[in-house]
Amino acid sequence: MDISGIRKEYTRGGLSRCDIPPDPLALFGKWLTEAVGTEQIAEPTAMVVGTVSADCRPSLRTVLLKELREGKFVFFTNYESRKGRQLADNPHIALSFMWYPLERQIHIEGTAERLPAEESDAYFRSRPLGSRIGSTVSPQSRTITGRSELLRAYEEMRDEVEATGKPVERPAHWGGIEVTPLRIEFWQGRENRLHDRILYTLQADGSWRIERLAP
Ligand SMILES: Cc1cc2nc3c(=O)[nH]c(=O)nc-3n(C[C@H](O)[C@H](O)[C@H](O)COP(=O)(O)O)c2cc1C
């Protein structure tokens, strides 16, 4: 298959001065609402998360954005996973939303920290029982002998919970990460590869510098 000839013109929209509010979170909220509103995007809250190890090697994976909290982007994960361990060593993080049907991309760079425990507890309690048990028994990112090991741990815990009625509380290894954005770039595809790129950079006084970048 020759993929070199696959080409698409981007014509769905544009970002002109009047579309650019002083606060990038307002624009993020607008685009997120539009992404959730279109039925063409299977997982509109999915974002690719980039972390960097202590020896400066980058890695990526997809997670789901669960909340925008006081201007911070929140997702939930296993703190002992590969990403969790990398973030403990190096809090610099990058997030990427790619909404192909809208010809839009948003790149966010910032710093990550753990969500306060009470807030992780509250979110954990809101999850279905199966997900709570799953994230308790899964040693995310570690090698396991096979799927049966995981299923055995899941069934053991589920049976115990059913027999005792014990609540499944959040394990210490699982919780929220909140990302404070320092740089947010909005990309809207345009004709002839002359795409719109609007970059917001956080300033020392808390305001955002706004620049247009060449595509
Ligand atoms: C659509 C999608 C959503 C996902 N959501 C999450 C999530 O919210 N949290 C999470 O820890 N992993 C999520 N994953 C799994 C991660 O991509 C990844 O496999 C896992 O977190 C382990 O990553 P790590 O070994 O780099 O730490 C999701 C995967 C996909 C494809």
Side-chain angles (χ1 to χ4, degrees):
M1 186 181 41
D2 178 13
I3 57 168
S4 68
I6 299 177
R7 227 165 251 122
K8 193 174 170 290
E9 274 297 317
Y10 300 128
T11 54
R12 293 207 46 161
L15 263 179
S16 41
R17 272 236 152 263
C18 58
D19 303 318
I20 303 169
D23 181 357
L25 293 158
L27 187 53
F28 180 86
K30 179 173 181 287
W31 279 25
L32 179 65
T33 303
E34 289 169 5
V36 171
T38 168
E39 282 170 11
Q40 298 157 286
I41 302 177
E43 291 280 19
T45 62
M47 56 185 187
V48 174
V49 174
T51 55
V52 180
S53 65
D55 59 349
C56 300
R57 291 168 193 262
S59 62
L60 302 172
R61 75 289 293 156
T62 304
V63 304
L64 299 178
L65 177 72
K66 283 293 167 189
E67 202 189 333
L68 255 175
R69 175 184 173 272
E70 293 163 14
K72 297 177 186 186
F73 297 79
V74 177
F75 65 93
F76 291 86
T77 195
N78 187 312
Y79 292 141
E80 289 164 14
S81 64
R82 185 169 184 230
K83 76 181 95 46
R85 284 177 276 133
Q86 290 187 349
L87 287 171
D89 287 336
N90 180 346
H92 298 294
I93 191 166
L95 311 175
S96 173
F97 291 86
M98 184 63 236
W99 293 317
Y100 296 104
L102 299 175
E103 301 170 354
R104 286 175 174 170
Q105 156 183 276
I106 302 177
H107 283 170
I108 297 160
E109 293 173 20
T111 51
E113 58 191 320
R114 289 186 183 188
L115 198 66
E118 330 62 86
E119 292 181 35
S120 289
D121 291 342
Y123 175 70
F124 189 79
R125 286 193 199 108
S126 77
R127 303 176 80 212
L129 178 65
S131 310
R132 278 182 279 151
I133 295 177
S135 45
T136 302
V137 301
S138 167
Q140 193 178 61
S141 314
R142 308 271 177 194
T143 303
I144 53 175
T145 53
R147 196 169 166 77
S148 55
E149 175 188 325
L150 210 51
L151 289 177
R152 205 176 318 115
Y154 178 90
E155 284 160 11
E156 245 172 54
M157 185 166 179
R158 184 201 56 200
D159 292 349
E160 193 196 333
V161 167
E162 279 175 6
T164 61
K166 216 168 68 178
V168 181
E169 293 297 349
R170 178 180 69 90
H173 66 245
W174 192 96
I177 296 285
E178 59 180 8
V179 176
T180 302
L182 302 174
R183 189 182 195 281
I184 306 185
E185 184 200 315
F186 295 83
W187 185 100
Q188 175 80 59
R190 300 294 300 265
E191 300 84 355
N192 304 314
R193 300 299 185 254
L194 297 179
H195 315 300
D196 288 328
R197 295 179 65 192
I198 300 298
L199 173 66
Y200 289 81
T201 311
L202 188 64
Q203 304 299 286
D205 66 1
S207 66
W208 292 89
R209 186 175 74 223
I210 302 177
E211 295 157 281
R212 181 177 285 272
L213 304 182

